[in-house]
Amino acid sequence: MSIGITDEHVELAASLRRWAASLGGIEAARLAESDGEETFDETWKAVGEMGVATIGLPESAGGGGGSPLDVAVALEACARELVPGPLLSNAVTAALLGRDERCALALDPDLRVVLDLPGATHVLLPDADDAWWVVPASALSATTSPGLDLTRRFSSATVDLADATRAEGATGDLVRRALTTYAAAEASGVARWCLATAVEHAKVREQFGKPIGAFQAVKHLCVEMLEAAEAVTAAAWDVAAVAFGPDDDQWAFAADVARVTAFDGAVEIAKSCIQVLGGIGFTYEHDAHLYLRRALALRALVGDADQAAVALTARAVSGTRRQVEVDLEGRDDAVRPQVRATVATIAAAADTRRALVETGYLTPHWPAPAGLAADAVTQVVIDEELARAGITRPDIVIAGWALPTILEHGTDAQRERFVTPSLLGDLVWCQLFSEPGSGSDLASLRTRATKVDGGWRLDGQKVWTSVADRADWAICLARTDPETQHTKPHQGIGYFLVDMRNSDGIEVRPLREITGEALFNEVFLDDVFVPDDCLVAGPTDGWRLARTTLANERVAMATSRLDKSTERAVALAADGGLPVTQQVAVGRSVALSTVCALLGVRTVLRSLGGQGPGAESSVAKLLGVRNRQDGSELVVRLLGERVLTAVDDDEVAAATWEMLNTRCLSIAGGTTQIMRNVAGERILGLPRG
């Protein structure tokens, strides 16, 4: 995946990557290692001929009339191939000055660091009063030498401002924000190259008779790179999407999220790439260190992430949240009037839940009779109109897993019996999947289903079953063919609907969790009769049914609110008195929570474009778990000594419960480690262990 989501951006990125790879930029950077005055003129000539440098300028200024997002897509593609020269500085100065010229960039009045001065005709620089000037490059006396990033040149200089021209409208904040916007795109390109290089190496490099990508440690390292890369890309995409727009606060917020996320992320990914490559990655001959150098230089150029985190905390305290608006490009015109009218009817109904169910608006992505089989655009419009009317859908919990299977694979009688009552909340469901010896590995389950006259007899033990003590019905996996236990463990499993209230032989024992509550339960099945009409599909279809997802997937826009614990941390910061280190922690929590929401938005945009789900949806689950766990732990840390003594403090009790309860998130529904195995194999294509 890359910054671009639309077909046009995907094609632009692919075309530019092919072109950039033909330039031989890395070889040019290596050859110029010892030449401090290298200007990369040949590369820059090719960049100019391709129109990359002017893609964001208006056509009246000789540019391509592109948006900042177009520029970001181009910069990411060029950075992925490590195109050397002054492309970044030129993109920033062109956006600020509105003209095409080879313009170097300085960020401080002392000119300790001037980016891309060799070969420049002009320089954009500040004075001590934060006034910004454009001066001829000849007005600078400079010293240039190869630095950390061999693909760029950094100089220190003095200047004579006699021939300076005022850069109207430029401020230090604006310049740094523009630099962050386009540097984040380069960071995404670096991250993408490093991830792809590490994964390809892990697929072919063999140790102990198998590819190293088959080893869980390497696989998890690659998936952690994927998680970081998706976060970097999402932050880079978002800040470019809102850059130079009408809402300055939104751009500032997005820029701080990018500063917190993109540059540390790119550095860590580059380091992990070298780790996966092993000894070859540590050699000078391999290109990996050049990407690490670029990532480190970008981070140093943009500035300290901790400062951005403090600024982000202040913005969040003031009430700013990232509010991403999706442009439906008129595709909603045909459906919005009817949706708005239906929502008005729902809002006026005496029973809102029943009205949601009867209109199909509770689960519009499901087929009838539960939903509308709504396409992505209609789903987004329904969400927007429900939010506008202040209507919140009730959570159907385990029914959200049971009903799709019944809808897709059940009989008409099963659909009529279970779907509507469950949506109305009249039936509560639990899930009897996990067993003491079968957690994520459901193929090893031992609960038996023996065929008898008129149905089946179930015997076994289930565990970690939420709300089993008050559930009306359960979905249960049981082995119908014991002969397949060791030869074909995924076969010979049935998918049963178990009446939890009226069946003999069911014993539910509560399991007290670390919160002190007993949401989980053990369930013992002793000769429990299940009639044939409560078997879904065939007696050996259970494994396939357990993996059911409806073809029309749920599309949901993320809320502008942060995660609950992050919002609480922001509220504590608003009370004042937090030391800088804790302000940094709050800001980083705000950034992660925002990135998780952005991943959801990018998934929605792919669905609106008719594309299949990208890596964002899987990564969002992994990062979402970390977001909730880290956020809840942060709140407890911010409360300090109060957690030791305030036994009657409702705020402390709620924060402690949330922190303890979220520990289950990296275990329930498949552990984080199992999910990383799956992501490594299904998304990255790494071999099975």
Side-chain angles (χ1 to χ4, degrees), residues 220-236:
H220 284 196
L221 182 56
C222 289
V223 175
E224 287 167 3
M225 292 174 67
L226 172 66
E227 294 170 36
E230 288 298 328
V232 170
T233 299

Side-chain angles (χ1 to χ4, degrees), residues 123-213:
V123 183
L124 176 65
L125 53 82
D127 64 19
D129 297 319
D130 197 32
W132 285 76
W133 305 86
V134 178
V135 302
S138 58
L140 275 70
S141 299
T143 300
T144 303
S145 59
L148 177 63
D149 183 358
L150 301 181
T151 66
R152 296 238 162 89
R153 291 295 177 260
F154 294 88
S155 310
S156 56
T158 58
V159 66
D160 181 355
L161 290 177
D163 295 327
T165 302
R166 184 70 180 265
E168 298 296 338
T171 65
D173 183 59
L174 179 63
V175 173
R176 286 194 175 276
R177 206 182 300 165
L179 177 62
T180 296
T181 299
Y182 291 141
E186 288 206 347
S188 181
V190 169
R192 292 294 164 185
W193 182 91
C194 291
L195 173 62
T197 299
V199 168
E200 289 307 308
H201 182 78
K203 290 178 182 178
V204 299
R205 172 66 167 142
E206 292 194 355
Q207 287 286 297
F208 306 104
K210 63 175 67 176
I212 62 173

Side-chain angles (χ1 to χ4, degrees), residues 500-563:
M500 294 292 291
R501 292 195 179 275
N502 301 305
S503 298
D504 295 330
I506 297 177
E507 181 184 359
V508 178
R509 297 179 187 173
L511 289 171
R512 198 175 184 207
E513 298 115 44
I514 62 175
T515 61
E517 298 178 346
L519 179 67
F520 289 159
N521 300 269
E522 287 182 292
V523 178
F524 296 86
L525 305 169
D526 183 10
D527 202 31
V528 176
F529 178 72
V530 178
D532 282 328
D533 63 4
C534 286
L535 172 68
V536 183
T540 61
D541 291 332
W543 177 258
R544 176 172 62 89
L545 269 58
R547 296 159 61 87
T548 290
T549 55
L550 291 180
N552 206 3
E553 292 289 353
R554 176 80 171 99
V555 176
M557 287 299 299
T559 175
S560 61
R561 285 184 59 82
L562 304 168
D563 174 72

